[in-house]
Amino acid sequence: MNTWIASYVVLSGLLLSLGGCNTMESFGQTMTGEKSLYDRLGGKPAIAAVVEDFVGRVAADSRINGKFANANIPRLKTMLTEQICQASGGPCTYKGRDMKSSHAGMGITGEEFDALVGDLVATLNKFKVGDRETKELLGALAPMKKDIVTSPMAAGPNG
Ligand code: HEM
C-alpha cells in the first residue's frame, strides 16, 4: 500500500512539474525553459525603441533613403514593431501587407537590402543586443529577402 502511495506522489509531482512548464511558457519561456527571443530582446517597448532608432538610420542612409521618400513613416514604424514582435515569438499579430506586395515595383536590389540590414545591426549594437539575439533576429528576417529584392543588381555606371 505504501508503495502505491509513494508512486502516486511521484506521479503527481511529475504531472505538476509538466503543468508548471506549460505555465512558464505563457510567461515567455519555451518548453525547454528558454526565454523567447521576444523576451530576451526586452519585449515590445525595447522592440519599439529599436525600430525608432533603426528607421532614423535608414532615413539618414543615402544608399537607400530615396526609396522611402513617399513612405508613411509612422505606419512603417508601427508595422515593423508588430512584425518583429510576432517574428520573435511575442504576443503580437502583424497586420500589415505581405512583404511581396508592400515592396512591389520598388526595384530593391540585394545591395539595398544588405544596407538596410546593416543599419539594423548598427542599431542592435547600439542597444547592446547580444550576438545570439542579433543572429536569431536576422535569421528570422532573412527568408523575407526573396520577396523584397526584385532587382537583380544595382545600377552600374552605364545606367
Ligand atoms: C528585412 C528587410 C525588410 C523588412 C522586414 C521590411 C518590412 C517592411 C514592412 C513591415 C513594411 C510595411 C508594410 C505595410 O505598410 O503594410 C514595409 C514597407 C516598406 N518598405 Fe520594407 N522591409 C524590408 C526591406 C526594405 C528595403 C531593403 C527597402 C528599400 C531599400 C524597403 C522599403 C520599404 C518602403 C519604401 C515601404 C513602403 C512604406 C509605405 O508605403 O508607406 N524595405 N517594409
Side-chain angles (χ1 to χ4, degrees), residues 70-85:
N70 299 316
N72 177 344
I73 298 296
R75 177 186 161 93
L76 182 63
K77 286 178 183 169
T78 306
M79 290 302 130
L80 280 171
T81 304
E82 265 186 10
Q83 192 184 38
I84 294 175
C85 172

Side-chain angles (χ1 to χ4, degrees), residues 64 67-73 75-76 79-80 83 94-99 102-103 106 108-109 112-114 116-117 141-142 144-145 148:
I64 51 176
K67 295 251 148 105
F68 292 85
N70 299 316
N72 177 344
I73 298 296
R75 177 186 161 93
L76 182 63
M79 290 302 130
L80 280 171
Q83 192 184 38
Y94 172 65
K95 296 181 226 51
R97 290 170 293 161
D98 65 83
M99 290 300 95
S102 46
H103 299 91
M106 291 184 191
I108 296 173
T109 65
E112 288 170 334
F113 185 93
D114 295 345
L116 178 133
V117 170
L141 300 180
M144 300 173 187
K145 186 169 184 174
I148 293 170

Side-chain angles (χ1 to χ4, degrees), residues 6-25:
S7 312
Y8 180 75
V9 169
V10 168
L11 190 66
S12 318
L14 197 67
L15 288 174
L16 270 177
S17 55
L18 286 174
C21 199
N22 281 332
T23 311
M24 287 313 284
E25 193 173 20

Side-chain angles (χ1 to χ4, degrees), residues 126-144:
K126 176 183 160 180
F127 282 77
K128 306 216 183 310
V129 171
D131 277 358
R132 181 182 164 210
E133 284 70 29
T134 298
K135 277 192 194 125
E136 282 182 39
L137 182 57
L138 297 186
L141 300 180
M144 300 173 187

